[in-house]
Amino acid sequence: MNTNPLLNSSTTHNNPPAFSKITNDHFKPAFEKLIEESKKEIDEIVNQADSPSFDNTVVQLEASGKQLDRVSAIFFNLNSAETNDEMQAIAREVSPMLTEFSNDILLNQELFARVKQVYDTIDRDSLSAEDLTLLDKTYKGFVRNGALLDDSKKEQLRKIDVELAQLSLEFGEHVLAETNKYELVLESEDDLEGLPAYAREQAADTAHNKGYNDAWVITLDYPSYVPFMTYSAKRELREKLAKAFASKAFKGDELDNREIVKKIVSLRNERAQLLGYKTHAHFILEERMAESPEKVMDFLEEIEKYGKPGAKRDVEEVAAFAKKVDGLEQLEKWDFAYYSEKLKKEKYNVDDELLKPYFQLEKVVDGVFQAAKKLFGINFTENKEIDRYHKDVTVYEVKNEAGEDVATFYADFFPRAGKRAGAWMTSYAGQFKDADGNNHRPLVSIVCNFTKPGKTTPSLLTFNEVTTLFHEFGHALHGMLANGKYESLSGTSVYWDFVELPSQVLENWCYEKECLDLFARHYETGETIPENYIERIKESANFMEGYQTMRQLSFGMLDMAWHGTENLTVEDVSQFEQDIMSKTDVLSPIEGTNMSCSFSHIFQGGYSAGYYSYKWAEVLDADAFEYFKEHGIFNREIADKFKQHVLSAGGSEHPMTLYKRFRGQEPDVKALLRRAGLLEE
């Protein structure tokens, strides 16, 4: 135990993990020991002689289990970014242990009695707004996890939580396995028709790494899949790849997720009803800005009123274009990206291949750092001495203008076999202030899957990937600039439908010349991106916005159908999904495919009954950026207000309260419709 790096005292504080010293053998013993130590901390709270108070019960509970939290963050972050079969097996073992420990706390009647006494008797005027939020969140945390249930129902709840944890892991493993095992092997150069040089080079490298000679391999990883679907002139291959991508975990084999989806939905609703809620969505939305499934659906349907006509116009325009250039009689889903990209180039004379030379990854990273410095006065310096979990990861020290530590920042940009698809922000340690007043600064990470540098070219990003990097960096700023008392209210620990505001608002800077001039330079000539290219980017910003809006709405509505339908019984996952998606589909569905079975956001991640929040946050970010635009996109006064009331405030108060402090008003839905070009005023 003494040699286990996960059990060093330094792990208790926000010091960078010693990744190079950690092996898989360290995790389970560390979890077992730290769970026992954390139980002792809970016992100390329960058994103390002093009567319950805010400090000796609520604050002490908040401060407990810090080292267990650190080790959990290290393990589960690595299980997403650098996993292997052994780690996945460990996850299956330790997840139920952690769920059981969490339930031991939340169903501890003596502990709850102390919390309840504080909640019922304290003079609320004696507490700060942040203290009150912690008290309410702590009390609700117990109640929403069964503290008011009788013993038999508590036991039932425990069993449900353990099973849900296991099912969620299994769901994710199936999707990752399906992604990793698929290969579209191309043996003829003719099959590469339409693909840009970087995509060909990447496909050749992938083939070489997988042991193929004189071949090219396309995978279901986004940096491989998206360029092929966008540029490949081989329609039959696009169809084949699209069907493989959209049928992940939906093939009737050992990796099929249909029964898992049904079990997860059933157990979530059973859990919600056990706690007195109509559905899982009613349970979740009680602690969201949207408040109820009815309000969510009203919101989605309001956007749909403007989005669907726009989506139909988009599809008709692309279909007419495809018929004109190639005589295509029926536009299918696997045709849309290909022909819309061609149409975009014809209309705006702009496409990814024209723009990518100006978006070298290293320069874009430097650009986002410069933007952060202009807005928030923070500086990023690479530190090669800080331990990393993979050679592709870069680590930065973040300091403010006074030279004080702000955060440690990890950037992990390239795909690999042990890394799940997509892009996300996470943290290895959150920010908090301890009892002695020390401000523990956070360890924040963003993980993406961008194209790796080739033999002859650096990593060049599509414009969409540029906005993805800014998006995840916006989340990272929310974590890095946190400045609260309590870790559970710090940084991104906010309502789910508020958490996307910092990320989505930062994307807006990518469309502004003042920001693009910081980093958009040709990787060979050093030439700044031409002004007419920026104008074309802005003009094309709303290209196919109706279609994209309906795509997002369809995911949100599918999520709400799974989680917001009372007494839901589903026999056929495929038919259920088709019935929901038919309301928003503007192209024919692909036979033999299914979204739900690989919808990791809602069945593995934390977005169940919350996928609508992407669109909800778009309203917030469109409204917030209008405020910046009115005063200048790098206006320090507005940026300071955003930092103080949004980024640094975390979840210390209700998000609408914080937003109104920043903006001076509630967000206007029409701000989003104006920006999307779906509303004429």
Side-chain angles (χ1 to χ4, degrees):
M1 285 294 181
N2 292 334
T3 62
N4 189 329
L6 295 170
L7 296 173
N8 290 344
S9 60
S10 62
T11 318
T12 310
H13 304 289
N14 297 31
N15 296 312
F19 289 113
S20 62
K21 296 178 182 176
I22 299 169
T23 67
N24 286 343
D25 291 340
H26 291 133
F27 284 111
K28 192 180 175 189
F31 277 119
E32 289 172 339
K33 182 172 177 57
L34 293 174
I35 285 172
E36 286 307 309
E37 288 184 359
S38 298
K39 284 179 177 177
K40 288 176 186 172
E41 291 178 337
I42 300 301
D43 289 341
E44 286 173 13
I45 299 171
V46 170
N47 296 327
Q48 62 187 304
D50 295 340
S51 59
S53 70
F54 180 73
D55 286 332
N56 73 19
T57 300
V58 177
V59 174
Q60 204 171 325
L61 178 58
E62 159 71 16
S64 68
K66 288 290 187 207
Q67 195 163 356
L68 177 60
D69 291 342
R70 296 285 173 271
V71 172
S72 295
I74 292 167
F75 176 76
F76 287 103
N77 284 333
L78 292 179
N79 197 36
S80 290
E82 184 65 5
T83 195
N84 50 51
D85 290 344
E86 190 179 0
M87 283 199 79
Q88 290 178 2
I90 295 167
R92 286 192 292 273
E93 273 193 272
V94 301
S95 288
M97 289 164 48
L98 291 167
T99 301
E100 186 175 358
F101 169 65
S102 175
N103 282 333
D104 282 342
I105 295 173
L106 292 166
L107 297 176
N108 184 320
Q109 202 58 43
E110 293 169 299
L111 179 61
F112 175 60
R114 291 185 67 92
V115 171
K116 190 173 188 303
Q117 187 173 334
V118 176
Y119 183 81
D120 289 342
T121 63
I122 197 164
D123 174 11
R124 296 176 78 86
D125 290 337
S126 68
L127 299 179
S128 69
E130 191 172 3
D131 291 341
L132 275 173
T133 301
L134 180 67
L135 176 60
D136 288 342
K137 182 175 181 177
T138 303
Y139 177 75
K140 283 183 182 176
F142 280 93
V143 173
R144 287 167 60 81
N145 284 280
L148 296 176
L149 298 179
D150 62 35
D151 288 345
S152 65
K153 287 183 177 176
K154 283 180 182 174
E155 189 56 36
Q156 191 179 344
L157 196 72
R158 278 176 179 265
K159 287 178 180 175
I160 289 172
D161 286 343
V162 169
E163 191 172 355
L164 278 172
Q166 204 65 39
L167 287 168
S168 178
L169 271 175
E170 199 175 338
F171 181 96
E173 287 170 5
H174 287 182
V175 174
L176 180 62
E178 284 273 74
T179 302
N180 285 343
K181 79 175 186 175
Y182 182 82
E183 299 171 350
L184 177 62
V185 182
L186 309 176
E187 297 180 329
S188 166
E189 196 155 354
D190 290 344
D191 289 335
L192 305 178
E193 184 185 351
L195 293 185
Y198 81 90
R200 294 178 180 222
E201 190 172 294
Q202 180 186 347
D205 285 346
T206 303
H208 175 75
N209 293 338
K210 288 178 174 285
Y212 293 96
N213 296 317
D214 301 319
W216 298 263
V217 171
I218 308 297
T219 71
L220 299 182
D221 287 318
Y222 277 99
S224 180
Y225 173 78
V226 172
F228 195 87
M229 296 303 297
T230 305
Y231 299 111
S232 172
K234 296 296 183 180
R235 190 180 189 221
E236 68 283 0
L237 293 178
R238 293 200 310 269
E239 177 181 358
K240 188 174 182 181
L241 192 65
K243 287 180 174 177
F245 186 87
S247 63
K248 285 180 288 189
F250 184 68
K251 299 185 180 69
D253 56 12
E254 71 280 1
L255 297 176
D256 194 288
N257 272 342
R258 271 172 282 198
E259 290 305 313
I260 292 177
V261 165
K262 288 197 284 188
K263 283 180 189 172
I264 287 175
V265 170
S266 175
L267 287 168
R268 283 174 175 169
N269 277 327
E270 183 184 344
R271 187 186 194 282
Q273 287 169 5
L274 201 60
L275 293 167
Y277 298 85
K278 282 184 184 178
T279 67
H280 178 68
H282 285 86
F283 169 76
I284 291 292
L285 293 167
E286 182 184 58
E287 296 201 319
R288 298 289 189 270
M289 293 178 79
E291 297 176 332
S292 71
E294 293 76 21
K295 283 192 178 180
V296 170
M297 289 308 297
D298 286 347
F299 167 70
L300 295 176
E301 286 164 5
E302 173 73 9
I303 303 289
E304 184 189 9
K305 275 196 306 191
Y306 299 93
K308 195 159 190 178
K312 287 180 175 177
R313 289 194 298 271
D314 289 347
V315 170
E316 286 166 5
E317 187 180 10
V318 173
F321 176 77
K323 186 168 184 179
K324 181 183 84 172
V325 298
D326 281 339
L328 195 70
E329 292 296 331
Q330 179 66 41
L331 186 78
E332 302 288 356
K333 283 191 173 179
W334 53 82
D335 300 316
F336 192 82
Y338 176 71
Y339 285 107
S340 63
E341 183 67 17
K342 282 185 171 297
L343 175 60
K344 183 179 178 181
K345 186 171 185 182
E346 182 178 277
K347 283 185 75 168
Y348 305 105
N349 194 23
V350 64
D351 64 6
D352 284 339
E353 287 314 290
L354 182 73
L355 297 175
K356 282 181 72 167
Y358 294 93
F359 297 137
Q360 183 178 340
L361 174 61
E362 293 82 359
K363 289 189 173 72
V364 180
V365 171
D366 183 58
V368 81
F369 288 169
Q370 288 186 63
K373 181 176 182 178
K374 282 175 165 284
L375 287 165
F376 308 116
I378 52 176
N379 297 286
F380 292 76
T381 306
E382 183 179 354
N383 186 333
K384 294 184 178 179
E385 300 303 312
I386 297 176
D387 214 341
R388 303 171 295 166
Y389 58 86
H390 189 276
K391 62 182 177 60
D392 287 345
V393 176
T394 308
V395 191
Y396 301 87
E397 290 180 323
V398 188
K399 296 182 184 293
N400 63 19
E401 288 164 316
E404 298 165 329
D405 287 336
V406 171
T408 302
F409 177 59
Y410 299 80
D412 181 356
F413 290 129
F414 304 121
R416 51 184 176 266
K419 184 178 182 181
R420 68 175 169 89
W424 63 95
M425 167 268 179
T426 187
S427 65
Y428 287 90
Q431 177 272 334
F432 69 97
K433 295 171 185 173
D434 64 27
D436 297 323
N438 299 309
N439 193 338
H440 295 264
R441 301 311 303 166
L443 311 176
V444 172
S445 172
I446 60 172
V447 187
C448 303
N449 280 277
F450 298 142
T451 303
K452 291 191 80 164
K455 290 179 181 142
T456 58
T457 56
S459 176
L460 301 175
L461 305 187
T462 65
F463 184 70
N464 186 56
E465 287 175 326
V466 173
T467 61
T468 295
L469 194 152
F470 271 70
H471 178 104
E472 298 307 334
F473 190 76
H475 280 310
L477 287 171
H478 205 178
M480 289 187 282
L481 295 174
N483 198 34
K485 287 166 69 175
Y486 307 116
E487 189 170 359
S488 68
L489 303 178
S490 175
T492 57
S493 299
V494 299
Y495 282 3
W496 273 100
D497 50 4
F498 192 61
V499 77
E500 294 296 334
L501 167 60
S503 56
Q504 290 182 190
V505 77
L506 203 67
E507 291 182 35
N508 290 280
W509 272 258
C510 300
Y511 295 88
E512 301 296 324
K513 182 181 189 303
E514 197 176 345
C515 183
L516 286 168
D517 281 347
L518 296 175
F519 64 88
R521 289 182 173 77
H522 198 286
Y523 78 98
E524 290 178 314
T525 67
E527 174 201 11
T528 302
I529 189 168
E531 192 161 345
N532 69 321
Y533 284 17
I534 297 174
E535 287 306 310
R536 291 183 221 171
I537 289 172
K538 294 185 80 158
E539 287 172 6
S540 65
N542 291 331
F543 180 67
M544 297 293 125
E545 186 61 35
Y547 180 84
Q548 294 302 333
T549 293
M550 289 310 294
R551 183 173 178 272
Q552 282 292 94
L553 290 184
S554 72
F555 297 162
M557 288 177 175
L558 178 62
D559 174 28
M560 292 310 297
W562 277 120
H563 294 115
T565 308
E566 196 171 1
N567 301 319
L568 178 67
T569 303
V570 175
E571 293 296 328
D572 186 334
V573 169
S574 181
Q575 188 60 53
F576 176 80
E577 177 173 303
Q578 284 177 30
D579 290 344
I580 301 304
M581 301 290 256
S582 65
K583 299 167 191 171
T584 52
D585 264 339
V586 284
L587 282 169
S588 300
I590 303 175
E591 191 176 340
T593 65
N594 183 270
M595 170 73 182
S596 299
C597 286
S598 58
F599 201 169
S600 297
H601 270 76
I602 67 170
F603 292 118
Q604 183 188 9
Y607 278 87
S608 64
Y611 200 87
Y612 75 90
S613 60
Y614 282 103
K615 269 288 172 238
W616 185 277
E618 278 187 49
V619 171
L620 298 176
D621 95 65
D623 186 68
F625 193 64
E626 280 190 354
Y627 192 30
F628 272 99
K629 288 275 282 184
E630 287 165 14
H631 298 86
I633 66 166
F634 287 117
N635 183 290
R636 195 63 181 267
E637 183 183 345
I638 306 302
D640 283 345
K641 287 175 71 175
F642 190 72
K643 177 182 175 182
Q644 179 184 353
H645 299 303
V646 177
L647 299 177
S648 296
S652 59
E653 293 184 73
H654 192 283
M656 190 60 82
T657 302
L658 296 173
Y659 187 82
K660 286 194 290 186
R661 280 205 198 116
F662 155 66
R663 186 66 170 96
Q665 64 185 43
E666 289 199 3
D668 178 10
V669 174
K670 290 185 177 177
L672 170 62
L673 298 170
R674 282 193 291 271
R675 186 179 67 186
L678 298 172
L679 177 71
E680 294 182 8
E681 291 187 328

